[in-house]
Amino acid sequence: MKFKSLILIIIAGIAFSCKPAHHDIRISQFLIDSIKSQEIPDSRVEVLHIKASYIGNDLLLKGRTTKPEAVSKLEARLKQQQVSFIDSIVRLPDPALGDKTWALVNLTVANLRTEPAHAAEMATQALIGTPLKVLQKEKTWYLVQTPDQYIAWIDSVEIEPLTAAEIKIWKESDRLIYLKDNGVILNSTERNARPVSDMGMGGIVTVDKNGKRKGSSIPIELPDGRKGFMNSKDCRNFKEW
């Protein structure tokens, strides 16, 4: 009889000790969902991915966000509820990126995905020469933000990472925008010239200052450093355009 009573006491103690953890998880998730609905009306242009879980005896908040003020609200409300936690939330752009927080698209048309996988749903597309704000890297994928604020994943082979200083130089350089439906960048002005890259309407390249113009052929440089020639009839000065 005494043994049974001891077992019941132990079980009750375990159940009681689990209640605070379960309670804290529920409160945390409720607050995360609530703040996300208030602060992130469009998840395509802002990120707030946070999960609450227990690591040993510690409540861990893990995830990423582009809106640190939303995290501040979450933490303030958790403290009001007397919920202790460990903050492991990455504020984007991720400090692990170093100074490479910008990039240029280096494919004619790049596909941006909702998740870091080629099989994931396409979120949007970006043309060659489009500047992207880099937020985070996961294996061979980058989380980026386009000029129209969309946030999605892009494969590393489709971009050329740059520093803020390098993107500033690019923005101040002589740029050309391609206006034909499609075409080809050639490696020389000779008849036997070979293709360097294809081009599509809206693509942006810079003028190669070290190259020599020949007739209607303008020396250009692609975002990844490849050089070639573009017909002046097919493009226009970007600033003028």
Side-chain angles (χ1 to χ4, degrees):
M1 191 70 176
K2 288 182 179 180
F3 179 74
K4 287 184 178 179
S5 299
L6 180 61
I7 294 295
L8 289 172
I9 291 170
I10 292 171
I11 292 173
I14 292 172
F16 181 80
S17 66
C18 291
K19 282 182 181 179
H22 181 66
H23 179 257
D24 288 354
I25 288 284
R26 284 195 297 111
I27 288 178
S28 300
Q29 201 56 58
F30 173 79
L31 290 175
I32 289 168
D33 294 341
S34 176
I35 289 172
K36 185 174 182 177
S37 66
Q38 295 168 14
E39 300 290 328
I40 314 291
D42 189 345
S43 59
R44 295 171 300 176
V45 300
E46 292 280 4
V47 172
L48 184 67
H49 292 160
I50 301 173
K51 285 189 176 181
S53 61
Y54 262 88
I55 303 296
N57 296 321
D58 300 316
L59 178 66
L60 180 69
L61 298 180
K62 190 173 182 180
R64 60 178 179 267
T65 185
T66 54
K67 207 161 186 180
E69 58 268 32
V71 177
S72 298
K73 284 186 179 181
L74 170 63
E75 294 182 344
R77 292 183 187 178
L78 285 171
K79 288 174 182 176
Q80 287 175 358
Q81 296 294 324
Q82 297 184 329
V83 176
S84 59
F85 56 88
I86 296 173
D87 181 350
S88 186
I89 302 165
V90 178
R91 276 70 164 174
L92 303 176
D94 190 343
L97 292 168
D99 58 356
K100 298 281 187 176
T101 55
W102 288 89
L104 291 174
V105 175
N106 61 19
L107 288 187
T108 307
V109 180
N111 296 322
L112 281 70
R113 306 286 178 178
T114 55
E115 298 293 338
H118 288 291
E121 181 184 354
M122 189 186 300
T124 186
Q125 292 181 309
L127 303 173
I128 189 168
T130 300
L132 304 171
K133 188 180 292 185
V134 180
L135 303 175
Q136 194 173 30
K137 185 179 182 183
E138 187 173 303
K139 295 182 180 179
T140 62
W141 289 81
Y142 283 92
L143 185 66
V144 298
Q145 188 167 32
T146 64
D148 53 359
Q149 304 304 305
Y150 283 98
I151 295 174
W153 293 91
I154 189 169
D155 195 316
S156 60
V157 300
E158 300 180 73
I159 60 172
E160 189 68 23
L162 300 171
T163 64
E166 289 169 333
I167 202 74
K168 184 175 184 293
I169 292 171
W170 176 82
K171 287 181 178 180
E172 293 172 352
S173 64
D174 291 330
R175 288 173 288 166
L176 301 172
I177 182 167
Y178 197 75
L179 298 178
K180 281 183 64 178
D181 287 341
N182 54 72
V184 178
I185 303 295
L186 300 173
N187 70 338
S188 76
T189 59
E190 305 301 322
R191 287 187 176 181
N192 61 349
R194 292 176 296 175
V196 175
S197 173
D198 56 343
M199 283 293 290
M201 184 181 289
I204 299 171
V205 297
T206 57
V207 176
D208 178 13
K209 292 181 179 180
N210 298 319
K212 293 183 179 180
R213 180 166 180 165
K214 186 175 180 181
S216 61
S217 297
I218 304 174
I220 62 94
E221 185 172 346
L222 296 166
D224 58 4
R226 288 176 296 163
K227 297 183 178 183
F229 291 86
M230 180 184 287
N231 194 309
S232 60
K233 296 178 182 178
D234 301 337
C235 59
R236 188 174 173 185
N237 180 280
F238 181 76
K239 291 179 181 178
E240 292 177 1
W241 177 81

